[in-house]
Amino acid sequence: MTKAAACQKNGRVALVYFASMITAQNQPPQTSLPKAFVTIVLIWTVLCAIGAAGNHSDDLQRADVSRSYMLMFWLWWREHLLLMTMSFACYALFTLRPAVLGSVPRILVAYLLAAALFTPFEMLNGAMLTQFDGGTLTGLAPLLQAALARSGIGQFMALVWVTFTFVAVVAACSWREGRRREQAWMRAQSDNLNLRLELEQQRLLALRGQLEPHFLFNALNAISALVRSDDKRVALDGINHLSALLRYALEASARDHVGLREERQFLDDYLALQRLRYGARLHVRIDGDSEAVLGADIPPLLLQPLIENALRHDLDCHDSPSDIRVVFAADAGRLAIHVSNPASAARSANPGLGLGLRHVRERLDLAYGDRASLQTGPQDGRFVVDIRMPLHAPEP
C-alpha cells in the first residue's frame, strides 16, 4: 500500500487523532507539555498500527510477500517520526504562545513557516529511509539529489501530511483554549454570584441588626408612656406583651421567611400593646385574612413597621380616634398587602427615624428582587402603602 493510498484509507482515523489531541490537559504549560508529548506519541503509534495493519492485509493477499506485521509497524512508525516531532513542536508553540491562535493571519503565517520547514525535511526523511533500506545511503549530497528527484505526487503527499498534522494540532489547541476561556468565564461568573450572594446576606444581616433595635426602641417608648400614666396594672400588662413580642422577634429574625399566620398573631400582640397606650382611640380594621392568605410566607417583622408608620402619622398627629385599615388579598400566586391611614396636613408629632418603610422596601428587594414591589403615596385623602409579592417563599 502506497503512502497516498494509506492516507486515503486512514481518513477516518484522522478523527481519532483530533479527538485524542483535545484530551490534552487544561493545565499550565509547565505541567501539560510532558503529558502532551506522551499523548502525541501514543496517537501516532495508534495511527501507524492501523496503517501497518492495512499494509499487512494487502501483503497477505499476495503469496510472494511475507513481511511480518511487526516489521510493517516499525516501517510506518519510523516514517512518521518526523511528523510526531512536528506535532509536538506545534503544540508546544501554541501552548507557550497562545496569542498565535488569536487571529487567522497569525495562524496562516505559522502554517507557512511549518510547511516551509517540515515539508523539505519530510521529503528528505522519505529519501533517507529509502536509501537506507536499499543500502545506498552514502552521503548528504546524494540524499539531497534523491529528495529533489522525488515525483510530484511524492512532494505533494509530503505537503499534505504536514498540512494535515498542522490543522489537527491547531484545531485541538483552539478547542482547548476556547474550553479554558469558557471555564475561566464560568468560574468568574460563579465567583461573582457567590460574592453577590454573600454581600446580599451581609446586607440582610445588617438590616436585621438595624430593625431589631428599631423595634425595641419603639416598643420601649410605648412602655415608658404606660409607666408615666401611673397605672401599674396597665404597665405590667404592657411589659408582658412586650416580652411576648421580643420573644417572637428574636425567634423570627433568625429565619428568612415566616408564615403570615405567625405575623398576624404578632401583629395582634403588637396592637394589644399599643392599645394599652392609646386606649379606645386605636381603631385598626383588618380584612381579607382568609386561610389562603394566612398560609402565605413573608419576611419576618414585615407588617409591624407598616402599622407603626400608620400610627405615627395618624394617632400621634391628633386626639381623635384612628382609622387604620389593613387589607390582605391572594390571587394567582401573588400576595397583596394594603395599609392606609388618614392623611393629615399637620406635621407628624412623632416623625421617628424614617427607618420603617425604607427597611420594608430593602427587605422586599433582598428577598424577591423585582418580583415584589412597595408603593406609597396619598390616595383619596389617605396615605396608602401597597405591597405586591409572591405568595410563597422562593425555592432555596
Side-chain angles (χ1 to χ4, degrees):
M1 180 183 293
T2 65
K3 194 169 185 178
C7 180
Q8 182 178 5
K9 185 173 182 178
N10 294 333
R12 295 182 180 179
V13 180
L15 296 177
V16 178
Y17 178 78
F18 175 79
S20 300
M21 278 293 295
I22 64 179
T23 60
Q25 301 296 314
N26 291 330
Q27 301 173 352
Q30 296 89 333
T31 58
S32 64
L33 287 181
K35 191 170 185 177
F37 174 77
V38 175
T39 302
I40 290 171
V41 172
L42 291 176
I43 291 169
W44 276 106
T45 300
V46 171
L47 290 175
C48 292
I50 296 174
N55 278 125
H56 187 61
S57 176
D58 290 344
D59 286 352
L60 292 179
Q61 297 176 10
R62 298 197 297 269
D64 57 332
V65 179
S66 59
R67 290 181 297 181
S68 67
Y69 171 76
M70 292 305 299
L71 176 60
M72 295 301 304
F73 171 72
W74 163 247
L75 294 177
W76 267 81
W77 196 87
R78 69 173 188 173
E79 190 172 358
H80 292 82
L81 186 59
L82 181 64
L83 293 177
M84 297 183 201
T85 304
M86 174 188 167
S87 299
F88 179 71
C90 292
Y91 182 88
L93 171 66
F94 297 142
T95 299
L96 297 174
R97 296 289 184 271
V100 177
L101 297 172
S103 65
V104 174
R106 292 177 181 176
I107 296 176
L108 182 59
V109 170
Y111 166 71
L112 293 177
L113 292 175
L117 178 63
F118 285 98
T119 301
F121 277 107
E122 177 68 7
M123 295 169 59
L124 282 172
N125 183 57
M128 180 185 67
L129 294 177
T130 301
Q131 290 187 1
F132 178 80
D133 292 340
T136 59
L137 183 60
T138 57
L140 181 59
L143 178 61
L144 291 175
Q145 292 177 357
L148 294 175
R150 293 188 68 178
S151 62
I153 187 63
Q155 297 176 9
F156 175 73
M157 287 309 304
L159 179 62
V160 166
W161 277 91
V162 168
T163 302
F164 160 72
T165 302
F166 182 85
V167 170
V169 175
V170 167
C173 291
S174 297
W175 181 91
R176 181 201 61 193
E177 290 301 319
R179 177 73 177 264
R180 181 177 295 171
R181 286 193 295 269
E182 180 182 0
Q183 291 177 344
W185 181 84
M186 292 178 65
R187 284 194 298 268
Q189 289 294 103
S190 177
D191 292 342
N192 287 337
L193 289 176
N194 290 335
L195 179 59
R196 288 183 59 186
L197 178 60
E198 184 176 348
L199 289 176
E200 293 299 318
Q201 290 174 342
Q202 292 300 323
R203 282 185 59 196
L204 182 58
L205 290 175
L207 195 59
R208 286 175 177 172
Q210 293 176 353
L211 179 64
E212 292 165 12
H214 175 66
F215 164 73
L216 181 59
F217 172 78
N218 286 282
L220 289 177
N221 273 347
I223 293 296
S224 66
L226 296 177
V227 171
R228 286 195 300 269
S229 68
D230 293 330
D231 191 334
K232 305 305 180 184
R233 183 188 62 81
V234 174
L236 183 60
D237 289 343
I239 293 174
N240 290 334
H241 283 298
L242 177 61
S243 176
L245 292 175
L246 293 179
R247 186 181 302 109
Y248 173 81
L250 290 174
E251 294 175 355
S253 63
R255 292 182 281 169
D256 293 330
H257 290 83
V258 296
L260 183 55
R261 189 184 305 275
E262 298 176 78
E263 280 288 294
R264 179 70 172 80
Q265 181 59 51
F266 176 73
L267 183 59
D268 288 341
D269 293 338
Y270 176 74
L271 290 174
L273 175 62
Q274 295 296 343
R275 191 166 285 111
L276 294 177
R277 175 184 178 186
Y278 293 106
R281 295 176 56 220
L282 178 61
H283 291 170
V284 178
R285 178 178 175 179
I286 301 178
D287 296 316
D289 50 347
S290 62
E291 286 299 319
V293 168
L294 294 178
D297 301 315
I298 65 174
L301 306 179
L302 187 73
L303 299 179
Q304 182 269 334
L306 304 179
I307 303 301
E308 177 190 319
N309 182 76
L311 290 173
R312 189 169 62 246
H313 293 89
D314 187 5
L315 283 179
D316 288 352
C317 296
H318 56 75
D319 296 327
S320 303
S322 67
D323 182 19
I324 299 172
R325 303 172 190 174
V326 181
V327 180
F328 298 101
D331 181 51
R334 303 282 294 175
L335 174 66
I337 304 175
H338 177 95
V339 180
S340 67
N341 60 272
S344 174
R347 184 175 182 269
S348 173
N350 181 18
L353 299 176
L355 297 177
L357 292 181
R358 179 165 63 87
H359 277 171
V360 171
R361 190 186 304 276
E362 291 182 3
R363 297 180 69 209
L364 288 174
D365 182 62
L366 285 173
Y368 304 104
D370 57 5
R371 291 174 297 167
S373 64
L374 184 148
Q375 296 180 342
T376 62
Q379 180 179 328
D380 299 330
R382 302 179 66 84
F383 183 81
V384 175
V385 177
D386 273 318
I387 293 177
R388 299 288 188 274
M389 56 189 291
L391 187 61
H392 296 291
E395 294 294 331

